[in-house]
């Protein structure tokens, strides 16, 4: 009674005070957030993504530059439109020297390190862009573009290799796709910079984009040597203690570092000449991976992606957006769509399978290209509905590409290789990529001048053919260690699928035979337990259980 009386007199006594006030909880949450820090390997991968930005900016700006009136007045007699041949050469000449330089970037990065090769390539690209920026005649412009191509060939494939090598296996897809994210940002930036400068009446309209490349490349060249060396490269050349220190500097835990090393002792080989090291790519057990990587990187461009990116203003004008401003805006919007899609895919790059992304993405981009070609061939592009359908399908193609092939192709090419052949094989695959890229970039305006539908049918068929090859020969390598990749390539997927099907059929047949035997034995048992009448002496007929 006294206790009840005390509660009645002091009702607050039955209410327990909160253990922590709201302000205290907020302070505790803020303190916990201080311990959430981004690992250094993420920042390093983001910085190396600037190499992708440089490549993307050139891709997004060179096409619009060639159709600027000020550019045509500078380099075309009488200020007329450039011929498709000259336009194709200006756009694609950078790819020829890039493809040749990429053959040497792998062995060079094995000798002088990944970071120094990146810095050297960026420096050469800056010099080439400066030559092109100051050009007053067509030969100087071509020289500048070719010199820039040498730099691009040196750093671009090494950037992807470096990003993959510093990443833990669990984050390899996300960090490898950072380069592609920056490529799309560069493409969109190139479009919009040209959209802003095209209004200038002087030659600054086309010189400014080249000047932007000079500034960015200079900063990239100065910053690359400050990055920590790839721990895998350090271990590969025998500097084991430095490799462990590099893992710590990058912020990679011991468990992830050990998994990412992937049986380094087995990979260590006697150092030899660059030609013998390049021959390692075609030895038994590795040549299948090399061939697959080279094929995928080549067919990535055969899908027609750079034909769309380089000549986006031309394609949108052909589809009905006749005004220069409208076609430039549509090109810029396509660049923004790529950025948004690539950024969104970053969070799923290590959840979606590599093989699944290649197959699904190839189906989307192949069908989109075939539909565009069909609309042009059938004459549907002559009306407004058909032209808008073509524009929408171009965006569908871009979205399908940047969410699949654009991200996983370079990652696949790098991660399927052992350490001793990774740099060389990636460089060879990048060379094949640029050779096909040059063919597409040079021939697209010539092809479109003769047939509005032919290029789309060609690109669509190439994409679907690549999809079937991935379905038959590409194993899943997402998050796999070197040993798991070795095991995945022991048997190609189509043979494994055929074996699984035969096993299922054999098991099904075995179950059917077992069921038939069981039914037969049941019938025999039933026949054995049939009750028969008993006959006893001097007694009547009766059954036992009666």
């Amino acid at each position: 009674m006294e206790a009840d009386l005390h509660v009645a007199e002091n009702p607050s006594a039955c209410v327990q005070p909160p253990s922590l006030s709201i302000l205290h909880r907020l302070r505790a949450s803020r303190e916990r957030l201080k311990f959430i820090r981004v690992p250094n390997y993420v920042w390093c991968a983001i910085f190396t993504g600037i190499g992708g930005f440089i490549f993307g900016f050139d891709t997004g700006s060179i096409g619009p530059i060639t159709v600027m009136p000020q550019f045509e007045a500078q380099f075309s007699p009488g200020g007329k439109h450039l011929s498709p041949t000259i336009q194709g050469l200006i756009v694609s000449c950078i790819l020829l020297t890039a493809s040749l330089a990429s053959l040497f970037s792998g062995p060079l990065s094995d000798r002088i390190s990944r970071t120094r090769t990146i810095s050297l390539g960026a420096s050469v690209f800056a010099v080439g862009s400066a030559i092109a920026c100051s050009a007053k005649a067509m030969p100087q412009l071509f020289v500048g573009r070719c010199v820039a191509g040498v730099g691009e060939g040196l750093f671009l494939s090494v950037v992807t290799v470096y990003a993959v090598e510093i990443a833990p296996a669990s984050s390899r897809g996300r960090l490898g796709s950072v380069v592609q994210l920056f490529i799309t940002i560069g493409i969109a930036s190139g479009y919009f910079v040209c959209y802003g400068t095209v209004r200038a009446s002087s030659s600054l309209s086309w010189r400014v984009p080249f000047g932007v490349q000079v500034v960015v490349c200079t900063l990239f060249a100065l910053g690359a040597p400050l990055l920590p060396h790839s721990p895998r490269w350090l271990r590969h050349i025998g500097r084991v203690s430095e490799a462990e220190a590099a893992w710590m500097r990058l912020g990679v835990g011991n468990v992830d570092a050990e998994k990412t090393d992937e049986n380094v002792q087995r990979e260590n080989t006697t150092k030899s000449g660059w030609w013998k090291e390049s021959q390692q790519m075609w030895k038994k057990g590795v040549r299948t991976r090399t061939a697959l990587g080279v094929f995928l990187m080549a067919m990535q461009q055969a899908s027609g992606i750079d034909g769309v990116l380089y000549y986006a203003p031309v394609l949108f004008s052909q589809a009905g957006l006749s005004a220069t401003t409208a076609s430039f805006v549509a090109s810029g919007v396509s660049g923004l769509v790529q950025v948004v899609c690539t950024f969104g895919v970053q969070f799923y790059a290590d959840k979606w399978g590599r093989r699944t992304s290649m197959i699904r993405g190839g189906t989307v981009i192949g069908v989109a290209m075939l539909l565009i070609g069909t609309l042009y061939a059938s004459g549907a592009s002559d009306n407004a509905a058909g032209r808008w359908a073509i524009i929408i399908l171009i965006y569908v193609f871009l979205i399908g590409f940047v969410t699949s092939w654009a991200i996983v192709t370079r990652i696949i090419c790098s991660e399927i290789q052992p350490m001793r052949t990774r740099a060389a094989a990636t460089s060879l695959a990048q060379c094949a990529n640029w050779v096909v890229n040059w063919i597409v970039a040079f021939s697209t305006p010539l092809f479109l001048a003769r047939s509005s539908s032919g290029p789309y049918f060609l690109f669509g068929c190439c994409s679907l053919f690549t999809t079937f090859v991935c379905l038959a020969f590409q194993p899943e390598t997402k998050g796999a260690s070197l040993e798991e990749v070795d095991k995945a390539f022991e048997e190609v997927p189509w043979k494994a699928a055929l074996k699984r099907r035969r096993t299922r059929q054999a098991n099904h047949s075995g179950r059917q035979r077992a069921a038939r035997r069981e039914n037969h034995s049941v019938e025999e048992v039933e026949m054995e337990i049939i009750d028969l009448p008993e006959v006893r002496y001097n007694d009547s007929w009766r059954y036992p259980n009666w």
Side-chain angles (χ1 to χ4, degrees):
M1 292 294 293
E2 293 179 358
D4 294 339
L5 181 62
H6 177 72
V7 170
E9 294 176 352
N10 301 288
S12 60
C14 63
V15 180
Q16 297 295 328
S19 58
L20 289 175
S21 65
I22 296 177
L23 183 59
H24 193 183
R25 291 178 181 179
L26 289 176
R27 288 176 178 173
S29 300
R30 188 176 62 182
E31 292 296 327
R32 285 195 298 268
L33 289 175
K34 290 183 180 179
F35 294 98
I36 301 175
R37 56 184 296 271
V38 179
N40 289 336
Y41 66 82
V42 175
W43 294 117
C44 293
I46 290 174
F47 182 81
T48 55
I50 296 176
F53 175 87
I54 296 167
F55 173 73
F57 189 90
D58 181 79
T59 301
S61 62
I62 190 60
I65 285 174
T66 58
V67 298
M68 288 182 179
Q70 302 87 338
F71 184 85
E72 293 173 341
Q74 180 78 36
F75 296 104
S76 180
K80 297 180 181 179
H81 292 298
L82 296 174
S83 66
T85 303
I86 297 298
Q87 185 183 23
L89 285 174
I90 293 173
V91 171
S92 64
C93 65
I94 191 175
L95 302 172
L96 282 178
T97 53
S99 63
L100 295 175
S102 66
L103 290 175
F104 302 97
S105 65
L108 182 64
S109 68
D110 284 337
R111 290 292 184 275
I112 67 173
S113 82
R114 316 299 194 216
T115 55
R116 295 191 184 105
T117 304
I118 292 171
S119 179
L120 176 62
S123 301
V124 175
F125 193 101
V127 172
S129 297
I131 295 173
C133 181
S134 61
K136 294 183 179 180
M138 187 68 74
Q140 183 179 351
L141 178 66
F142 275 114
V143 170
R145 296 282 292 164
C146 291
V147 172
V150 173
E152 189 174 77
L154 289 176
F155 74 74
L156 189 58
S157 61
V158 181
V159 162
T160 304
V161 171
Y162 179 81
V164 170
E165 287 185 350
I166 66 173
S170 59
S171 304
R172 197 164 55 202
R174 286 193 296 272
L175 291 189
S177 59
V178 165
V179 177
Q180 179 58 35
L181 174 62
F182 275 82
I183 289 176
T184 58
I185 294 174
I187 292 172
S189 301
Y191 285 145
F192 282 107
V193 167
C194 291
Y195 172 68
T197 61
V198 72
R199 303 172 184 272
S201 58
S202 64
S203 62
L204 287 175
S205 60
W206 60 269
R207 295 186 192 275
V208 167
F210 287 121
V212 171
Q213 295 181 35
V214 174
V215 174
V216 176
C217 284
T218 302
L219 296 175
F220 190 44
L222 294 175
L226 303 179
L227 297 173
H229 288 303
S230 164
R232 291 183 58 78
W233 175 78
L234 290 171
R235 192 178 288 271
H236 178 62
I237 62 174
R239 294 156 63 176
V240 179
S241 59
E242 294 183 45
E244 295 175 355
W247 282 127
M248 295 179 62
R249 184 180 174 189
L250 289 167
V252 179
N254 292 331
V255 176
D256 288 330
E258 290 174 1
K259 184 177 180 180
T260 309
D261 281 340
E262 298 172 349
N263 199 12
V264 176
Q265 291 80 6
R266 183 163 62 88
E267 291 184 354
N268 287 335
T269 56
T270 304
K271 297 180 75 64
S272 57
W274 70 270
W275 175 248
K276 290 185 177 180
E277 289 187 0
S278 298
Q279 288 179 319
Q280 297 286 331
M281 299 183 294
W282 303 105
K283 287 191 174 182
K284 185 177 180 181
V286 182
R287 55 178 172 235
T288 303
R289 312 182 197 187
T290 303
L292 178 63
V294 171
F295 174 80
L296 292 181
M297 286 291 284
M299 298 306 288
Q300 183 194 47
Q301 295 302 326
S303 66
I305 180 61
D306 273 1
V308 174
L309 297 179
Y310 282 130
Y311 303 106
V314 177
L315 296 180
F316 284 117
S317 297
Q318 186 187 44
L321 298 178
S322 57
T324 302
T325 301
S327 61
F328 270 57
V329 170
S331 303
V333 171
S334 68
L336 290 179
V337 169
Q338 293 179 70
V339 173
V340 172
C341 293
T342 307
F343 180 78
V345 173
Q346 298 288 309
F347 302 99
Y348 301 97
D350 285 308
K351 296 180 180 179
W352 296 346
R354 314 282 195 249
R355 187 170 183 267
T356 303
S357 296
M358 290 296 295
I359 294 172
R360 292 178 179 175
T363 303
V364 171
I365 64 181
V367 171
M369 279 292 181
L370 292 178
L371 289 176
I372 294 174
T374 302
L375 290 173
Y376 275 119
S378 62
S381 58
D382 296 334
N383 56 68
R387 289 192 293 269
W388 278 108
I390 290 171
I391 293 172
I392 292 172
L393 286 171
I394 290 176
Y395 282 111
V396 170
F397 167 82
L398 289 172
I399 293 172
F401 183 87
V402 300
T403 56
S404 57
W405 284 21
I407 291 178
V408 300
T409 305
R410 283 187 172 87
I411 298 175
I412 292 170
C413 180
S414 180
E415 72 181 3
I416 64 176
Q417 290 288 335
M419 178 64 202
R420 64 183 183 275
T421 60
R422 178 170 294 157
T426 304
S427 298
L428 179 63
Q430 186 63 60
C431 176
N433 180 278
W434 267 318
V435 169
V436 178
N437 194 352
W438 177 81
I439 295 173
V440 171
F442 176 70
S443 63
T444 295
L446 301 174
F447 209 164
L448 288 173
R450 293 180 176 271
S451 172
S452 58
S453 61
Y456 297 103
F457 284 125
L458 176 63
F459 297 149
C461 291
C462 289
S463 300
L464 293 180
F465 174 70
T466 306
T467 302
F468 286 122
V469 171
C470 294
L471 188 64
F473 296 101
Q474 181 191 344
E476 181 57 65
T477 57
K478 181 193 70 172
S481 65
L482 180 62
E483 295 84 353
E484 294 167 341
V485 172
D486 289 340
K487 187 176 180 180
F489 275 94
E490 288 177 358
E491 191 172 33
V492 293
W494 72 267
K495 288 184 178 180
L498 186 61
K499 182 181 291 187
R500 288 195 299 269
R501 182 178 179 183
R502 289 175 178 174
T503 302
R504 286 196 299 267
Q505 290 178 345
N507 293 337
H508 182 67
S509 300
R511 286 194 297 269
Q512 288 183 333
R513 288 194 296 270
R516 285 196 296 267
R517 285 196 299 268
E518 184 178 353
N519 292 335
H520 182 67
S521 59
V522 169
E523 292 176 358
E524 290 179 351
V525 171
E526 289 178 352
M527 292 178 64
E528 290 176 356
I529 63 174
I530 293 177
D531 293 334
L532 297 177
E534 293 183 355
V535 181
R536 297 183 180 180
Y537 184 72
N538 290 333
D539 199 354
S540 61
W541 294 81
R542 73 181 185 86
Y543 285 89
N545 296 326
W546 288 8

